[in-house]
Amino acid sequence: MENLLIQTKDIVKSFFGVTVLSGIDFELRKGEVHALMGENGAGKSTLAKIISGVYQADSGDVLVEGEKHKFRNTRESTAAGIALVSQEFSLLPDFSVAENLFLMDNSYYKNNTFINKKAMVRDTRELLKLFDMQDYIDPYTNVSSLSVAQCQVVEILKAISKKAKVIILDEPTASLTQKEIDLLFDLVRKLKAEGVGFIMVSHKINEIFEICDRCTVLRDGKMAMNAANISDITQNEMIQAMVGREVNNLYGSNDHEKDFDSETPMLEVTGLCDAVGYVTDASIKVRKGEIVGLSGLVGSGRTEFVRAIFGVDGRSAGTVSVNGKVLPAKNIIASMNSGIGFVPEDRKVGGLLQELTILVNSAIATNVIEKGAFTSRDKEFSKCADMVGKMAIKVNNVDNAVKSLSGGNQQKILLAKWLMLNPELLIIDEPTRGVDIGAKADIYAILRELAASGMAVLMVSSEMPEIIGLCDTVYVMREGRIRARLTGDDIDDEKIGYYSTIG
C-alpha cells in the first residue's frame, strides 16, 4: 500500500532466553493514530523500541515507506523520520529546555562552532504555545527544575520539533492534566491532517477510543487483535483481547445510593493547612466502609493534602483525628499505630525499594511498628505468600528483586505492604497509575472488598472514570482548597470538571 509509513514483518525478540515478541506483523498508515495495546509485559513497548531503534529484533523486518531498515540506534531512526516519546524521559536534566529541544539540530549552529541561542529560545517559545505553556515554562530553565508533567510536555515537543513523519507516544498522558491532554489531542489531529502517523501506547482505554483510528492488541508477546478499526469494536472486546478473559464491569457495582452521613467518621480532618502553603483550610470526613475520592487537576494540592494527613509532611494549622483521637503533625509512626496505611503516588520513589526483594518490600512497614529486636523470616514469608495468593500477584520467587515485576504487580506488592498492617484506613494516591487494564480490574476489586469489610478508603485519582466508578463521596480540590463535596447523582464528570476549574 502506498500510504503505509511503517511495516513490521514477523518480528521476534527475546531477552535472556525469554521470548517477548513472536511473529509480530504491524502496520501504520499515513495520517492515522494506531493504538498499540496490551497488559504490562505484553511486548508493546518492546515493539515500539524496535521500530525506533532502541532495540534490535532477533529476526524479522522493519520497513519505512516500503524500504527495509535495521536501525542500530535512535539517531538512525530519527534520520528516517521516526521520533519516540518514551515512558522513561530522555531529557538532559542539567541542560535548558531550549537546549533539550534543539541542541542536536545543526541548523542552530554557526560555522559548526557557535550556537544561535536566540533562535533556539524563539522557536522553543513557539513550541510551548502548542500546550499553552509559554507563560509557565522558561526556555532558559534547566529541565531538572521542572515538574513531571512539564517534563512530559517537553518530551512531546522534542519529538514534534524533529518534524517526524512517525511519532511514537508511549503513555504520553500519564502525567498530564486534562487541559494538556486536550491540547495534545488537538495537536495530534492537526498533524494527522498533514500526513503524520502516530503509534500510541496507552493503558487509558477511553483515550484510545477518543483519538485512535485502529487498534492492535498484544498478549504474551503474540498478536491478540490485529489492526481492528476502533469504530468496529467495543471497549469490552478490547479488554478481553488484552487480558484473555471477559471483564463485564471494570469498577464493580456503584449506584452512589448508600448514605454514610449518619455514621461516625473514622477520619476527620478540620482546617488543615500544610507547612509549605499548597493546602489551605481543607476539611474532609471518611467513614467506615466508605470510599472517598479526592479529585482535581494536577497541582491542585491533592497529594500534598494526603501527605500532610499521614504525616509525611508537616502542617501549619488544623487537626487530623482517627476514631476521635487527634494525631500529632509530621509523625508517620503515630499514623501507622493509629491504623492508617499510605500508598504513595510514585511506587519507585516513595513506595518500593527497587533493588531489594519482594519479601523485604512486603514486610518493611510491618517490621517498622512491630516490637522486638528480631524479625522472623518464616513469619514474613507466610504473610507475603498469603498476600500474593489473595491479590493474584504474579511472582516467581519472593526473593527476587521487586524491580523484576511488571508495573501492575509492583503496585499490588506496594498495596500488600500496607495491607499487612491490617489498617482501618487506607490512603492511596493514584492507585492504578501506569498499570495495565487487568491489574486495574484486580485493584478495583481489592478496594471494593476492603470497603465491604469495613475499611475506610481515601483515594486520590486523576482518572475521572475511576473516581466516578469507585467513590461513594468525592471532594474536589482547586488551588489547595476543597471546592465541593459531591455525593449520589452529583458525582459526574461535568460537576467534577466545573469545580476543578472555575466553580
Side-chain angles (χ1 to χ4, degrees), residues 12 170 199-200 229 265 277 290 297 350 390 396 401 423 429 435 457:
V12 175
D170 194 351
I199 299 172
M200 184 166 172
N229 290 324
E290 184 180 24
L297 301 179
K390 285 181 179 178
N396 291 326
D429 194 350
V435 308
V457 178

Side-chain angles (χ1 to χ4, degrees), residues 354-358 361 397-405:
Q354 293 289 315
E355 301 297 329
L356 297 186
T357 68
I358 296 161
N361 272 280
N397 188 333
V398 295
D399 287 322
N400 289 341
V402 79
K403 68 180 181 181
S404 66
L405 299 178

Side-chain angles (χ1 to χ4, degrees), residues 302-314 342 344 427 429:
R302 302 167 306 169
T303 291
E304 291 78 8
F305 185 34
V306 295
R307 283 171 61 90
I309 291 172
F310 185 61
V312 179
D313 300 328
F342 179 72
I427 301 174
D429 194 350

Side-chain angles (χ1 to χ4, degrees), residues 151-165:
C151 286
Q152 184 71 76
V153 169
V154 173
E155 193 76 65
I156 293 168
L157 293 179
K158 183 178 174 183
I160 293 169
S161 71
K162 296 172 182 175
K163 296 181 171 54
K165 52 193 171 187

Side-chain angles (χ1 to χ4, degrees), residues 440-456:
K440 281 188 176 186
D442 291 342
I443 290 170
Y444 296 153
I446 291 166
L447 293 178
R448 284 246 179 248
E449 290 171 7
L450 294 174
S453 70
M455 188 181 296

Side-chain angles (χ1 to χ4, degrees), residues 430-485:
E430 301 291 1
T432 62
R433 172 172 286 171
V435 308
D436 59 64
I437 194 68
K440 281 188 176 186
D442 291 342
I443 290 170
Y444 296 153
I446 291 166
L447 293 178
R448 284 246 179 248
E449 290 171 7
L450 294 174
S453 70
M455 188 181 296
V457 178
L458 176 59
M459 181 181 85
V460 175
S461 177
S462 299
E463 294 196 32
M464 192 79 76
E466 198 165 83
I467 287 286
I468 295 171
L470 284 176
C471 297
D472 304 296
T473 302
V474 175
Y475 290 89
V476 185
M477 293 192 74
R478 189 179 80 252
E479 297 174 345
R481 295 178 180 270
I482 300 291
R483 302 293 177 170
R485 177 180 181 269

